Amino acid sequence: MSNPPFEAFPRRDGNLHVEDVPVAEIAAQTGTPVYLYSAGALEAAHDALAAAFAGRPHVICYAIKANMNLAVVSTLVKRGAGVDVTSRGELFRALRAGADASKIVYSGVGKRDDEIQAALEAGIKMFNVESRGELRHIDSVAGSLGVRAPVAFRVNPDVDPKTHPYISTGLKTSKFGIPIGEAVEAYAEAKALSHVDVRGVDCHIGSQLVSIDPFADALALVRNLVVELRAAGHAIDVIDVGGGLGVTYAEEVPPSPAEYAAAVEGSVGDLDCEIVLEPGRSITANAGIFVTQVLYQKGTDDKHFVIVDGAMNDLLRPALYGSYQRVEPVGPARGGVQKIDIVGPVCESGDFLAKDRSFPRVEEGDLLAVRSAGAYGFAMSSNYNGRPRAAEVLVRGDQYRVVRERESLEDLIRGETIPEDL
Ligand SMILES: *Cc1c(COP(=O)(O)O)cnc(C)c1O
C-alpha cells in the first residue's frame, strides 16, 4: 500500500544529488557552506504523517523552530500544515509563509504580553499555556482586546523519554508545562476567568524519541486527565500530542507514522477529540543536507583533522549534544580509508561536525555533505566568530532556488553603531 520512500539524495555516477540536481553544481553557484533542502522529501514526510492520521480529525502544526525558512514552511503550509510557534518572531514567519492563523498553536514557557497580543490579533487556534501566571496574563490581554483566548494547558506527565537530557521536556525537573497533578486545579482557575476558553490538553515530552513507549505512557496519563476534566465540566475537545518523533541519524529505528498513529488511537482514540500534532524534526531533518568544503588537513600521531569551511556556528548539534550526523563525500569516494575528525574554523575545541569517523581519503577542495541537517541546523546557527550565516537552497526535481542568501559582511554589523558622544 505505501509508496516507496522518496529518494531525496540519490547518488548517480558516484555523485551526490538533491533530487535531480548534482550537489556540486549548486555548491559551485552558491559557494559553501550551504544548506540544501529537498521539497519532495519535505512533502513526503508531511504526507506520510497526514496519511497515518487521515482517519480522524487532526491538524499537523509543524514545529517551525526546527527549520523556519519561509520557503520550507510555505512548502508544508501548501500541503495543509498548520504551525506550532514559540515566539512572536516565529508567528511572524508562519504568517509570512502563508500559514492559516486558525491552524497555529502557540507553545513556550515565556510568552510576553506583546507576544500574546500579537497571537490574539492574528486569531490563532490555541495557546498551549505553560504556567498559571501565563494563564492570568493571557486572560488580561484578551480582556483588554475584548476577545476570548482559546487555551490548553501543557501538562508535564513526568515521563522519561530516554533521549538527550537537553531535549527531554516531560520530566518533573523540567521547566516545561505544569505538573499533571496540578492540572485539575489549574483548569478550575481557567474556567473561572472571563477571557479564556478552555479547549484542550497539550503534552510534549521531548525530542528525538525512538521508542513508542514514552509517548504511550504520557498519552495514558493525558487520557485519564481528559476524562477527569470532562467530569468536572470542562469542554475538552482537542488533544495536542506534541512533537518529538525521532528520525534516523545513524542506526535508530524510530516509530513509523502508522505506529505512532496507532499509539495515539489506542490511548485517546475513543475520546472524540481533534488531535493536534507538533512534529518538527521528523518532517525536516532528513529533507536537508549541509554542504561544506575541505580547506586543510593536518595530523598528529593520534589524530587526523580535516578542516572544513562549515562550523559549529552553522551546525551546532554535534557540538551542543555530541550528536552523530552522517557525513559523506559529495563526489565519488577516493580510495583508502582513514580515521578522521571533521572540524570547523571556530576557535573552540568543541567545534566539530564529526569525530573519529572512518572516512575515505579526502583532498583540499573536496565537498562533504552532512546528512540529516534539515532540522535544528540552520535554525540554530549564529554569527559566532564573525561568520556570516550560510545560504539555504530549496530543490524540486531538476530546479533549485536560493531561498536565503548567504549573509554579507554588512549583515554582520547591521544595527550596530559606534557612539561618538560616549
Ligand atoms: C521543539 C518542540 C516541538 C518539535 O519537536 P520535534 O522533536 O522537532 O518534533 C513540538 N512542540 C514543542 C512544544 C516543542 O518545544
Side-chain angles (χ1 to χ4, degrees):
M1 283 260 302
S2 65
N3 298 318
F6 183 79
E7 181 52 37
F9 304 103
R11 207 170 259 287
R12 297 187 186 141
D13 297 327
N15 293 301
L16 190 67
H17 289 57
V18 184
E19 302 198 10
D20 298 325
V21 186
V23 169
E25 182 184 317
I26 304 174
Q29 195 226 319
T30 62
T32 52
V34 60
Y35 277 93
L36 310 182
Y37 309 124
S38 154
L42 292 167
E43 292 172 349
H46 170 273
D47 293 358
L49 197 58
F53 282 87
R56 65 165 36 259
H58 74 277
V59 196
I60 295 177
C61 293
Y62 165 62
I64 191 172
K65 77 175 194 272
N67 184 325
M68 61 189 173
N69 183 283
L70 291 179
V72 168
V73 181
S74 161
T75 300
L76 297 169
V77 162
K78 285 179 187 147
R79 265 352 226 198
V83 182
D84 169 36
V85 304
T86 60
S87 69
R88 187 174 183 177
E90 287 186 352
L91 175 65
F92 170 76
R93 280 184 172 278
L95 294 171
R96 274 297 169 90
D100 179 347
S102 71
K103 291 187 190 175
I104 293 177
V105 293
Y106 191 162
S107 308
V109 293
K111 304 177 188 78
R112 285 192 317 257
D113 285 2
D114 63 298
E115 299 184 296
I116 293 167
Q117 180 170 340
L120 285 168
E121 285 169 351
I124 65 163
K125 178 179 180 63
M126 192 166 80
F127 289 91
N128 287 332
V129 180
E130 304 221 15
S131 66
R132 290 165 76 170
E134 179 193 329
L135 176 75
R136 289 170 211 136
H137 274 254
I138 291 174
D139 180 63
S140 126
V141 176
S144 70
L145 295 177
V147 298
R148 294 173 71 89
V151 300
F153 274 104
R154 175 173 178 179
V155 296
N156 184 331
D158 193 23
V159 163
D160 185 354
K162 302 209 162 51
T163 181
H164 191 284
Y166 291 5
I167 51 177
S168 295
T169 59
L171 283 164
K172 66 179 175 213
T173 50
S174 127
K175 71 175 177 181
F176 297 100
I178 60 167
I180 198 162
E182 294 172 21
V184 168
E185 213 180 309
Y187 277 90
E189 177 175 356
K191 199 170 188 198
L193 297 175
S194 47
H195 293 92
V196 297
D197 276 331
V198 170
R199 288 282 166 76
V201 174
D202 165 47
C203 183
H204 169 77
I205 55 173
S207 199
Q208 184 54 11
L209 273 65
V210 292
S211 152
I212 203 73
D213 300 344
F215 287 116
D217 293 350
L219 285 169
L221 296 168
V222 167
R223 179 206 162 71
N224 293 345
L225 176 62
V226 171
V227 170
E228 194 175 350
L229 291 173
R230 282 180 171 172
H234 298 283
I236 304 291
D237 51 24
V238 178
I239 296 177
D240 183 333
V241 300
L245 199 58
V247 302
T248 303
Y249 286 105
E251 307 295 327
E252 305 94 323
V253 184
S256 67
E259 288 170 299
Y260 181 55
V264 172
E265 184 68 30
S267 44
V268 299
D270 61 336
L271 293 177
D272 207 22
C273 282
E274 178 187 47
I275 301 297
V276 172
L277 305 151
E278 299 175 350
R281 188 187 311 270
S282 59
I283 303 290
T284 58
N286 282 322
I289 59 174
F290 176 66
V291 178
T292 182
Q293 187 167 37
V294 175
L295 297 175
Y296 305 109
Q297 309 197 58
K298 63 181 179 183
T300 65
D301 287 347
D302 301 314
K303 280 282 184 197
H304 185 86
F305 292 104
V306 171
I307 302 162
V308 297
D309 65 0
M312 65 187 287
N313 75 294
D314 303 299
L315 180 61
L316 183 61
R317 296 186 66 258
L320 182 62
Y321 310 118
S323 306
Y324 174 96
Q325 292 183 217
R326 246 163 61 213
V327 186
E328 57 196 82
V330 166
R334 298 178 189 280
V337 170
Q338 55 191 356
K339 253 283 159 69
I340 64 172
D341 281 13
I342 301 172
V343 302
V346 165
C347 303
E348 300 271 351
S349 290
D351 177 30
F352 62 89
L353 298 178
K355 268 206 147 103
D356 293 324
R357 297 284 174 91
S358 292
F359 208 82
R361 197 171 49 74
V362 299
E363 290 182 7
E364 285 183 14
D366 283 359
L367 295 172
L368 306 183
V370 183
R371 299 292 291 260
S372 310
Y376 307 109
F378 186 92
M380 296 176 96
S381 66
S382 77
N383 293 126
Y384 188 41
N385 269 220
R387 292 170 53 83
R389 261 177 279 237
E392 294 176 285
V393 170
L394 184 68
V395 179
R396 182 185 291 285
D398 61 3
Q399 299 283 309
Y400 68 94
R401 301 282 182 271
V402 175
V403 293
R404 191 182 206 272
E405 287 174 23
R406 182 178 311 287
E407 285 181 343
S408 67
L409 296 176
E410 289 300 324
D411 288 334
L412 289 179
I413 55 170
R414 180 142 30 115
E416 293 183 35
T417 51
I418 301 171
E420 299 299 344
D421 53 342
L422 284 189

